[in-house]
Amino acid sequence: MLDSVRIRLTLWYVSVLAFVLIAFSVGVYSLLSSALHDRVDESLRALMQITIKSLTNDEEEGQTPEGAAQSTAAELFNPEQALAIFDASGRLLAENTSSDDFYAQLPDPSLILQDEVSLYTVEDRNDDGEHHRMAVRRVTIPPLNTPYIVLATQPLERIEDELESLREILYYLVPLALLLAGIGGWFLARKSLAPVVSMSEQARRIGAKNLEQRLLVENPRDELGRLAAAFNELLSRLSAAFVQQRQFMADASHELRTPLSVMRTAADVTLEKPHREEDEYRDAIKMIGEQTRRLTRIVEDMFTLARADAGRYPLRASRFYLDELIEETARVGRVLAAQKDVTVDVAASSEFPFHGDEDLLRQMLLNLLGNAIKHTPPGGAVRLGIILARGEYLISISDTGSGIPPEARPHIFERFYRVDKARSRSETASGAGAGLGLSISLWIAEAHGGSLGLARSDGDGSTFVVALPAPAQ
Ligand code: ADP
């Protein structure tokens, strides 16, 4: 039951409200009780004051202490309060009510304070459990210096009745208020959580087959709307990754199929006739060997990208000089370029120390240089350069090829993308790429905190630029 947020919310709400209501009730009750008791004490003090005044007047008029006490008691008769006047030894001189037995409860006369009102609450012995407030004081009346003990009492019945009614009201009202608040809270929680329930039902229906479906966002500005929007964004990212993954699988199988079918055809055709010349066998095996190399390259590239995607390609960083690496790459490139009558120049004027994975960066430069040579016609030139600008090493690879068509430029870094698919795939040479070279090069640049982009491409050739963060001087 407590697994439901709705019930938990309601219980929390009712508990907090119960705490507040109980604290409030106790507060109101005790404030009212002390105000009512203070009022009784005040009126007893007032009666005491009047009694003393009246005794003084009567004595001044020449009355005996007993006479003064009796006339004062009679004069100050009041149905709410009772008055009794004693002499110093505690003998009753006068009283204006006879029904009570407070006298027995009068403290020992020797303990009664002179000129100071002491207040007590006593239980009525006749009635059941009823309380009385008593005020007692010892006074000396000036004319004859007569000592008196004055006792004034007032029943607390009225106050107790009032407080009891309040208690009863609170006993019924607090649970009733809690019940109503609980029911109201439950409905409120249900209403506010309804969008969450609906969202979870919608989310449950979304799977790999309908990843394009989205949650309904009723109010995108409120908290739940923002949650739904965030969930939808997550779905969009997942769906994009999913589409990419599917495309990758489709492209990969397509790429692998071509060399495989070339190999199978070569084998079948060669074996069709029982006897062949040695040259024919050689040609077939050579072709199979080339296709195997091509397959190996594609599979290695795919493996590199898969590990990079999974974040499991640790960089083996070391210190080296980029200008030396570029020079070394150019030397390898020149061997390839010489066959095509293409020149490879390097423009690196000083030393460029770097900290990174030398093997990966070599692979990146070889990819870019290989592409440049591949797309440059005989008689052309490829130029490698490096400069330091605004804290970055900018490595450029320019060629004098035919350039990349504008519509292909946004896609060249995509996996398996090739500008001229038909031509590249029909090429049987192992050098024909699968469209993964630039994807891998881009990943290598980014893994080093840098970037790779096509800076220029037109009829006169293309320039790729790698930017790598230069170490702080
Ligand atoms: P591949 O390994 O097939 O060469 P890449 O990812 O390296 O694939 O390149 C993608 C596409 O970009 C290639 O099909 C190629 O046509 C084009 N491209 C890359 N570099 C150049 C360049 N220097 N000049 C012209 N086209 C290029």
Side-chain angles (χ1 to χ4, degrees), residues 255 294 297 301 367-376 397-405 408 411-421 423-424 431-441 454 456-457 461-464:
E255 285 304 326
R294 180 166 153 74
R297 231 189 75 190
D301 284 354
N367 278 346
L368 295 170
L369 183 62
N371 279 348
I373 296 170
K374 196 158 60 181
H375 296 281
T376 302
I397 301 99
S398 312
D399 61 57
T400 55
S402 51
I404 300 167
H411 304 291
I412 51 173
F413 292 101
E414 287 170 14
R415 293 171 186 189
F416 294 112
Y417 182 82
R418 280 176 317 204
V419 174
D420 186 353
K421 280 187 191 277
R423 203 201 68 216
S424 316
L436 292 175
L438 285 180
S439 314
I440 292 180
S441 303
L454 176 64
R456 172 192 72 101
S457 191
S462 314
T463 302
F464 282 87

Side-chain angles (χ1 to χ4, degrees), residues 348-368:
S349 50
S350 62
E351 293 188 328
F352 297 92
F354 190 67
H355 186 244
D357 191 320
E358 194 176 358
D359 288 339
L360 283 180
L361 288 168
R362 182 182 294 111
Q363 187 184 344
M364 176 187 79
L365 291 175
L366 278 174
N367 278 346
L368 295 170

Side-chain angles (χ1 to χ4, degrees), residues 96-123:
N96 64 11
T97 176
S98 57
S99 59
D100 294 317
D101 63 345
F102 309 122
Y103 322 129
Q105 295 188 42
L106 193 66
D108 183 334
S110 62
L111 296 178
I112 297 173
L113 299 172
Q114 177 74 29
D115 295 333
E116 203 172 296
V117 180
S118 307
L119 290 149
Y120 308 86
T121 300
V122 296
E123 200 169 314

